[in-house]
Structures are given as C-alpha cells and as structure tokens.
Amino acid sequence: MTRIWNFSAGPAALPEEVLKQAQEELLDWQGAGCSVMEMSHRGKEFMSILAQAEADLRELMGIPEQYRVLFLQGGATQQFAQIPMNLLAGRSADYIVTGSWSKKAYKEAQRIGTVRCAASTEESGFTRLPTAEEIKLDPFAAYLHVCTNETIHGVEIPAQRIADTGVPLVADMSSHILSRPVPVEKFGVIYAGAQKNIGPSGVTLVIIHRDLLGMAPLNIPTVMDYAVMAENGSMLNTPPTYGIYIAGLVFQWLKRQGGLAGIDAVNAEKARILYECIDNSGGFYTNPVDPDCRSRMNVPFVLADGGLDAAFLADAKAAGMLGLKGHKSVGGMRASIYNAVSLDAVQALVGFMNDFAKRNG
Amino acid sequence: MTRIWNFSAGPAALPEEVLKQAQEELLDWQGAGCSVMEMSHRGKEFMSILAQAEADLRELMGIPEQYRVLFLQGGATQQFAQIPMNLLAGRSADYIVTGSWSKKAYKEAQRIGTVRCAASTEESGFTRLPTAEEIKLDPFAAYLHVCTNETIHGVEIPAQRIADTGVPLVADMSSHILSRPVPVEKFGVIYAGAQKNIGPSGVTLVIIHRDLLGMAPLNIPTVMDYAVMAENGSMLNTPPTYGIYIAGLVFQWLKRQGGLAGIDAVNAEKARILYECIDNSGGFYTNPVDPDCRSRMNVPFVLADGGLDAAFLADAKAAGMLGLKGHKSVGGMRASIYNAVSLDAVQALVGFMNDFAKRNG
C-alpha cells in the first residue's frame, strides 16, 4: 500500500493513525461484537462515543459552558439556510462577502428572509479583506455572518480582526476549524462541514450560544430547529453515527498533537514554507491574496505560464501528489494543507515545486 | 473477535462481507492511495463509486428510467418535512396513519402546510391496516403518504394492497426497502433512511418520478429542493461519500444473494420461523399484529409475564443476542431481522426463545 500526498480541498486527508484505528475496529468496536456502523444510536456504546467526542471538542476549542455543541447533517450549505431560518425572527441580518462561500451563504439567506451585504471584496477578485471603513453594519441586525476561511479564494480572517460589533457573530469555519485557537466566546454561532479538518463528509458541526436557541418559527422542519436538536442532544433522529465516531478519533489525535496550540505551530510552519516557495519563485508561481489575510489552510496559486498547468499536475501525480488542481472558478492550482497534511507532505510539495520551476523556468 | 447476533432496529447489522471489504480498503481504495473518506467527491474515483451504486440499485429494484435516484442527508425525519415542502404546491395531501412513523410524518407535514388524515388505525394500537371502506381519500390531494413498514409496531403493507388512487403515492420504506421486490412504477416517491437495509446512518435514499420535480417554492433551502438535487446528481454540495460507498457495497452483496427475489425467499423463511415460534409458544410469547400485515423485518412480541423481560434480555445477551428490547412506546421485545441478519441468526434466536420458554414456562 502506497499512500498519496493528498492536497484535496475536501473531502480531504485524514490522519493515518485515525484510519488505522478505524480499520482495526471496523468489525468489532472495543469488544462490542459489532461495528460502530451497526450500533443503535441510543445504546450505551454509541452514547459514550458521542459524549467523548463532544467532551474532547470542548476541551480542544475551550468551548464555554453556555454554548451547545450539535452534530448535524446537510453540510455548511444546509446551514446557509438553517442559520436565517433559526435566527432572523422577522428581522434583517448582515453578511460580509469575502469569497465564493460567503457569497453563497448570502444568496441562500436571501431565499429565506431579509439580509444585507455589509461589505464585499468581490471587485478585488476576493483577494483582500474589507477595511473597517468599508463595512457598513446595521446595529439592529439579527446577526452578522462571516466566512473566516474562504476555501476557494484562500482568504482567512485573522482572529485579531474579529471585533465585537454588538450583534451576534455567525461564522462559517468549515475549512479552518481546529487549525488554530479561536476565541469561541466572541461568536454567537460557529459552524463547519466536517470534511476538511473534522472527519468524513456527512457531519456538520454547530456550536451555538444558548441565548440564540428557541427563536425559530414553528413552520420550519423540526430537524432544522437548533433548539429541538439541542434539547435532544443531536439525537432527535438517527445521527450520522460513523462520521461522528471518526470525528471523535480525529479529536483524540489532535489532543495527542498538543491540542490547537500544537497544531497551530505546525500549520504556521507549513504555510510559511509554501508561501515562501511561491513568493521566492521569481514570478513562476504567484498567489494574489493580500499577505495580511492569506489562508493557512488553502493556498491557491497560478503558474505564470498557464500552458504548463497540465505538465505541473501530471508531474505532481507522478510524484505521488494529488488534489492540486485549483477550483474551476479561479483556475490554476490550490494546495489544501489541512491539519492531517503533515509538514513532511508540504516539504515534499515545496521540493517538487522548486524542482518543477527549475526544470521549466 | 466474536461477532454478536445483532437484532437492532437501526442502525442495524451489515453483511460481514461488506464490512470486511470496507476494512481491507479503508486506507487505500483499490490502489487510489487514499481512503474513500479522503477523496474529492468530484474526482473520477468517487464519481465511479456513486454511479455504480446508482446503477446497482436501479438493477436491484427495477427502477424505471423516468425516476431519479437521489442520495441525500437528514434521514427520513427530514423527508417528513421535505416531502410537503416540495410536493404540496399550495394544495392538501392525504396521510394514512398505521403506526408511530406515519403518525410522525403526518404531524411534521402539518408544520409545513395543509394535510388530512385519510385513515388511522391508532384506536387498534396500530395492530392492523385500515379497510378500504375506512380510507377517505381526497381525489384532489397533492399526494397520498404511507409508511409501508412500521418499524415500531411491526405492521407492513403487502404489495398487493398498493392500489392506484389517482394521486401520486409517497412511501416511507425505510425499514423494509430492498427486502423484497417492489412495483416502483406504482409510486411517485419512495424514500428511506439508510440505516436498516442500505448502509450506515447519514444517507437518505429518495427515488422520485421526474414529473414530481420542479414544484418546490423558491423560499425553501436549496439542498431540500429535489429538482436542484436531481439536476446536480445529488452533488449540489458534498454528499455523505463514505456512507454512499458502503451502501454501494451492500447493493453488490445483495446482487450476490440473487437480488431481491433471492433475499425475499430468505426473509420469508426467517419471518415464518420466528412468527411460528411466537404463535406456537402457547401464549408465552404473543405478537398482536393482524397476520395479514405482520412485518417481515420488525417482529415485536411480548412475554405473557412481563416480570421475565429482564431475564429474557440478560439470557439473550449471554447467548450473544443483542438489540432485542422493544421500543419504549410499545414495551416488550422486538427482533429486527433485516437483510443482513442471516437465517442462522434467526434460527439461533428461535432456539433461544424456545429454550427460554421451556425453562420459564
């Protein structure tokens, strides 16, 4: 078995230790005599898996007691609707648009109710954050929505830019959650699809302040009412049990890496060497994003000579590196270097990129 | 490793062959160098897994070309809302209530729009089907909803009872789909949570006639619009890839069992010997359901002496049999004998039940 270097944007690489444990336990979880996939979600074995996953996540992120942790389905895309369905309560909400994903969230919310665009950097090609002056907030907004890491455009909002605006802050953290410490207490809602830094696709994590529960109208689907899901411990109906189990194994792996402080240091170094490679390539590779908000998880770059794209991807594949093709909306390349992508993998990528530039420059 | 006899109502037993193949491929799917969990959903590997799963399901069920097959999230409970959100179109729909699940579907639909109860057998304790005379249909209904197998009450609607009523028939088949041949062409929509006969929880199957697509209003979540999901081949957003992969392995396993005709014969024999054991126990065990509509998948039964319940469960556990406790709303016991529960397992259960009755009768 040869494992590839996996730079996929998601579903993405998982820690090999996690996969090996899942493999060992696949037919018989810790002597239960059956797979986690075959267990009643209301039995004591799965209840313990769910409780441990939540406890580990709370410890990793330092989630205060007044927040509820929900393991849901439907992905961030479903949250784009679920957020306004639960939180608008007949009012208006503000959206800051800094890339494809926050733009999608804004458009989806328009189907549900009244929302405003408080700022957009689309005219820049989504290569920077809006300045404080550009952001026009409604002080009476039901909430302010941001995407703290734009997977496609590679734009990340640094934690120090998260300011209190007086309204609940709702953040899509799908593609950088658990990659660094986050001040949870500054947010009303944090949500994330699992398939980047948490586990397999099909699990959606929602961390919500209890004061935001109970505002949903009675005509939305019961499974989409955060308050009902919170009351039922994410088990109004059958949750995606196997995905939650894998997420729990990832949380345990993260704790063994020294928690979010530990992984933060590795992620910083991975991003540093990759951006350095791009910036020092003499224009062979370029990344268009303002260095103040470059993503540490998703690094899009283009080759000066787009005619070399196919050769780059073919040579990368020959070197065992996959998932490097950029999103079709921006073209070029993208290396997603999530938690489970090791420093070794990024060093190998940098080595390959330097060599490719030398051979083709 | 000792595998238990698993009679859980869901998540439920999976074929051991499927689990073994999943275990082998867990870190490296067919030489791809990564797990199915780590693959881009838009890459050719996962696209081939999805296409094969759909093709095998179409072959197994004989799904006509004019039906679309969707792999969604959220479970049958989400469908309870999604069905009326998509199909009501300002009209009314009829519901036949034959157990807890169709009652839940009816109640959930009341949140969304106007629905009628066309018949209910609740007064019987959900132990029979309504007679033709008891069913009061609205000829102008947007659809008629039924649950063809009630997991909790053990009531199954035989295929010959499915009549054309002139309105689209919508069926929750969660707990008996793929257990026997079904005349798909009689239905407008067939839906099922995966965690009984399909695969792990977190996948929801929807089979919908194309004439029912495109009726949803524009203010529902995009992910809940069947037409959008059909246009995007279930990939508007990231689907639950690993669950779909396991479902695909289950479909291949079913083909090796001789398809639905093959598994039908095994299921008939399993149900026959278990009901025979109950009926021949001299009243030690009883099943209250009208023999004309007894479920072949979920067999609830009570012990005449409820004081023996704890001993029954403890002895069953000692004999390696789990998941036999009845649902709290009906009490007693329940054996769920889905496709992956072998005839051997049911024979073992019957042997245990006969022995327990002899020792305690």
Side-chain angles (χ1 to χ4, degrees):
Chain A
M1 184 193 73
T2 311
R3 297 258 302 160
I4 54 164
W5 301 118
N6 188 352
F7 299 100
S8 176
L14 286 164
E16 197 166 307
E17 283 175 39
V18 165
L19 295 174
K20 283 183 171 161
Q21 184 173 346
Q23 184 176 44
E24 262 173 45
E25 298 179 340
L26 201 121
L27 277 86
D28 181 13
W29 180 79
Q30 302 190 4
C34 66
S35 177
V36 172
M37 291 184 219
E38 302 175 293
M39 285 176 184
S40 169
H41 54 300
R42 305 207 188 271
K44 68 179 191 319
E45 293 85 357
F46 181 74
M47 294 293 281
S48 78
I49 290 171
L50 178 64
Q52 190 65 49
E54 177 174 338
D56 287 337
L57 181 72
R58 284 185 173 275
E59 182 184 331
L60 282 165
M61 292 185 69
I63 300 173
E65 201 189 342
Q66 60 270 32
Y67 286 77
R68 302 301 298 265
V69 173
L70 307 178
F71 293 93
L72 305 179
Q73 299 186 53
T77 302
Q78 183 162 316
Q79 291 304 312
F80 294 168
Q82 200 163 338
I83 295 278
M85 286 164 91
N86 276 269
L87 303 184
L88 273 183
R91 293 187 290 161
S92 169
D94 279 355
Y95 280 70
I96 295 181
V97 176
T98 53
S100 291
W101 289 104
S102 48
K103 188 176 173 184
K104 280 193 187 198
Y106 173 57
K107 283 187 160 298
E108 182 73 8
Q110 289 178 304
R111 291 169 67 104
I112 308 300
T114 306
V115 289
R116 289 174 68 246
C117 178
S120 170
T121 56
E122 188 160 15
E123 98 301 329
S124 78
F126 295 129
T127 56
R128 64 179 185 87
L129 293 176
T131 63
E133 296 68 39
E134 287 172 322
I135 302 174
K136 310 293 182 200
L137 295 175
D138 170 5
F140 302 106
Y143 60 86
L144 171 64
H145 182 279
V146 295
C147 175
T148 47
N149 188 66
E150 289 282 356
T151 321
I152 292 174
H153 290 91
V155 173
E156 186 167 5
I157 304 180
Q160 66 272 21
R161 292 285 294 268
I162 302 294
D164 182 8
T165 66
V167 305
L169 185 59
V170 174
D172 177 0
M173 295 194 181
S174 294
S175 53
H176 77 154
I177 194 163
L178 296 172
S179 70
R180 62 200 311 168
V182 162
V184 175
E185 64 284 357
K186 289 192 175 177
F187 295 86
V189 180
I190 291 170
Y191 68 96
Q195 64 270 17
K196 285 93 159 71
N197 265 340
I198 296 173
S201 61
V203 177
T204 314
L205 180 67
V206 173
I207 302 165
I208 183 167
H209 194 288
R210 63 182 176 202
D211 290 354
L212 296 175
L213 296 172
M215 295 157 59
L218 288 174
N219 65 347
I220 70 166
T222 310
V223 289
M224 295 180 83
D225 186 324
Y226 294 135
V228 175
M229 276 299 189
E231 277 161 29
N232 287 278
S234 304
M235 301 240 277
L236 172 74
N237 61 338
T238 315
T241 53
Y242 197 72
I244 292 171
Y245 156 72
I246 299 287
L249 296 185
V250 170
F251 300 157
Q252 287 166 18
W253 173 83
L254 266 174
K255 286 171 73 176
R256 295 196 296 274
Q257 312 311 306
L260 299 196
I263 206 78
D264 183 34
V266 181
N267 286 331
E269 178 62 7
K270 283 153 53 185
R272 190 190 66 75
I273 66 170
L274 182 50
Y275 283 112
E276 185 181 77
C277 161
I278 292 166
D279 293 341
N280 290 351
S281 69
F284 189 88
Y285 306 111
T286 51
N287 166 285
V289 179
D290 180 347
D292 285 347
C293 59
R294 280 175 164 179
S295 170
R296 295 198 327 189
M297 292 284 107
N298 307 98
V299 182
F301 57 94
V302 294
L303 280 65
D305 177 2
L308 289 172
D309 283 2
F312 181 90
L313 289 168
D315 289 7
K317 188 175 179 186
M321 297 174 187
L322 270 83
L324 286 164
K325 192 172 180 184
H327 191 272
K328 59 183 184 293
S329 65
V330 295
M333 306 297 152
R334 172 177 49 175
S336 294
I337 52 176
Y338 299 122
N339 287 348
V341 177
S342 65
L343 181 57
D344 283 354
V346 181
Q347 283 167 339
L349 174 64
V350 165
F352 165 77
M353 285 171 65
N354 285 335
D355 179 63
F356 185 86
K358 198 177 295 171
R359 285 188 287 116
N360 295 278
Chain B
M1 183 192 73
T2 310
R3 297 257 303 160
I4 55 163
W5 302 118
N6 188 352
F7 299 100
S8 176
L14 286 164
E16 197 166 305
E17 283 176 38
V18 164
L19 294 174
K20 282 183 172 162
Q21 184 174 346
Q23 184 176 44
E24 263 174 43
E25 298 180 340
L26 201 122
L27 278 85
D28 181 13
W29 181 78
Q30 302 190 5
C34 67
S35 177
V36 172
M37 291 184 219
E38 302 175 294
M39 286 176 184
S40 169
H41 54 299
R42 305 205 188 272
K44 69 179 190 319
E45 293 86 357
F46 181 74
M47 294 292 281
S48 77
I49 289 171
L50 179 64
Q52 189 64 50
E54 178 175 337
D56 287 336
L57 181 71
R58 284 184 172 275
E59 183 184 331
L60 282 165
M61 292 186 69
I63 300 172
E65 201 190 342
Q66 60 270 32
Y67 286 77
R68 303 299 300 263
V69 173
L70 308 178
F71 293 93
L72 306 179
Q73 299 185 54
T77 303
Q78 184 163 316
Q79 291 305 311
F80 295 167
Q82 199 164 338
I83 295 278
M85 286 164 91
N86 276 269
L87 303 184
L88 273 183
R91 293 186 290 161
S92 170
D94 279 353
Y95 280 69
I96 294 181
V97 175
T98 53
S100 291
W101 290 104
S102 47
K103 188 176 172 182
K104 280 193 189 198
Y106 173 57
K107 283 187 162 299
E108 182 73 7
Q110 289 178 304
R111 291 169 69 105
I112 308 300
T114 306
V115 289
R116 290 174 67 247
C117 178
S120 169
T121 55
E122 188 161 15
E123 98 299 330
S124 78
F126 295 129
T127 57
R128 63 179 185 88
L129 292 177
T131 63
E133 295 69 40
E134 287 172 325
I135 302 174
K136 309 293 182 201
L137 294 175
D138 170 6
F140 303 106
Y143 60 86
L144 171 64
H145 182 280
V146 294
C147 174
T148 48
N149 188 67
E150 289 282 355
T151 320
I152 292 175
H153 290 90
V155 173
E156 186 167 4
I157 304 179
Q160 67 272 21
R161 292 284 294 268
I162 302 294
D164 182 8
T165 66
V167 306
L169 186 58
V170 175
D172 176 1
M173 294 194 182
S174 294
S175 53
H176 77 155
I177 194 165
L178 294 172
S179 70
R180 62 200 312 166
V182 162
V184 175
E185 65 283 356
K186 289 192 175 178
F187 295 86
V189 180
I190 291 170
Y191 67 96
Q195 64 270 17
K196 285 95 159 67
N197 265 339
I198 296 173
S201 61
V203 177
T204 314
L205 180 67
V206 173
I207 301 165
I208 183 167
H209 193 289
R210 63 182 176 203
D211 289 353
L212 296 175
L213 296 172
M215 294 156 60
L218 289 174
N219 65 347
I220 71 166
T222 310
V223 289
M224 294 181 83
D225 186 326
Y226 294 134
V228 174
M229 276 299 188
E231 277 161 29
N232 287 277
S234 304
M235 301 239 278
L236 172 75
N237 61 336
T238 314
T241 52
Y242 197 72
I244 292 170
Y245 155 72
I246 298 287
L249 296 184
V250 170
F251 300 156
Q252 287 167 18
W253 173 83
L254 266 175
K255 288 170 72 176
R256 295 195 297 273
Q257 311 312 305
L260 299 197
I263 206 78
D264 183 32
V266 181
N267 286 332
E269 178 63 7
K270 283 153 53 185
R272 190 189 67 75
I273 65 170
L274 182 50
Y275 283 112
E276 184 180 76
C277 161
I278 293 167
D279 293 341
N280 291 350
S281 69
F284 189 88
Y285 306 112
T286 51
N287 166 284
V289 179
D290 180 347
D292 285 349
C293 59
R294 280 176 164 179
S295 170
R296 295 197 329 189
M297 293 283 106
N298 307 98
V299 182
F301 58 93
V302 294
L303 280 66
D305 178 2
L308 290 171
D309 283 1
F312 181 90
L313 290 168
D315 289 7
K317 188 175 178 186
M321 297 173 187
L322 270 83
L324 286 164
K325 192 173 180 184
H327 191 271
K328 59 182 183 293
S329 64
V330 294
M333 306 296 151
R334 172 177 48 176
S336 295
I337 51 175
Y338 299 122
N339 287 348
V341 177
S342 65
L343 180 57
D344 283 355
V346 181
Q347 283 167 339
L349 174 62
V350 166
F352 165 76
M353 286 172 65
N354 285 335
D355 179 62
F356 185 85
K358 197 177 295 174
R359 286 189 285 115
N360 295 278

